[in-house]
């Protein structure tokens, strides 16, 4: 399994333009192969249509991200194991994740332009937004 992870990481890691690209395995809402790698960069841009927001220290990082219409945003819970789950929940009912434990992820594809504020249901002080351009 370790060898497979290394192969996948080798294929997906690198630097594109000014952005560091995290190691990434697109597995939807399932557990991450390597969440630690995704949590080591402040803004993980997988490619122009796929972005990562880290959930860490009871906050969303970055707390505002601009993406093009049609892009997918994946939230990854980067908290230490044992931390209570977080959600990513649209303020206007556009999306709502289940509780995400450390290492879990949730993805949503933004088809429409606009500003999409969201929060964490168990921790309403955790707020952020996605701006779709
Ligand atoms: Cu939370």
């Amino acid at each position: 399994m370790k060898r497979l992870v290394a192969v996948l990481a080798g294929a997906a890691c690198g630097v594109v333009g000014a952005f560091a690209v995290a190691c990434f395995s697109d597995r939807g809402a399932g557990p991450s192969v390597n969440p630690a790698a995704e949590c080591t960069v402040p803004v993980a841009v997988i490619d122009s249509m796929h972005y990562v927001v880290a959930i860490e220290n009871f906050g969303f990082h970055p707390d505002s991200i601009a993406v093009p219409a049609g892009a997918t945003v994946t939230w990854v819970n980067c908290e230490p194991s044992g931390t209570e789950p977080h959600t990513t929940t649209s303020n206007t009912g556009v999306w709502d994740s289940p509780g995400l434990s450390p290492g879990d992820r949730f993805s949503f594809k933004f088809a429409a332009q606009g500003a999409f504020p969201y929060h964490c249901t168990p921790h309403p002080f955790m707020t952020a937004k996605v701006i779709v351009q």
Side-chain angles (χ1 to χ4, degrees):
M1 188 59 191
K2 271 211 162 81
R3 184 168 300 158
L4 175 61
V5 170
V7 169
L8 290 173
C13 297
V15 175
V16 176
F19 300 106
V21 177
C23 307
F24 189 78
S25 175
D26 191 356
R27 298 178 66 188
S32 173
V33 170
N34 189 356
E38 291 164 317
C39 296
T40 56
V41 291
V43 182
V45 180
I46 304 308
D47 59 45
S48 64
M49 298 305 280
H50 205 161
Y51 301 78
V52 170
V53 173
I55 307 173
E56 197 164 24
N57 296 323
F58 287 80
F60 297 102
H61 306 281
D63 62 5
S64 178
I65 188 170
V67 306
T72 296
V73 175
T74 297
W75 289 265
V76 181
N77 187 336
C78 297
E79 300 280 23
S81 66
T83 306
E84 59 188 290
H86 297 295
T87 71
T88 165
T89 303
S90 164
N91 292 3
T92 53
V94 178
W95 75 92
D96 186 14
S97 78
L100 304 174
S101 294
D104 286 352
R105 63 185 53 225
F106 178 82
S107 295
F108 184 78
K109 184 173 181 176
F110 290 86
Q113 293 183 329
F116 297 91
Y118 65 94
H119 64 279
C120 170
T121 299
H123 313 109
F125 58 89
M126 294 174 61
T127 60
K129 65 185 169 189
V130 176
I131 299 165
V132 184
Q133 298 171 325

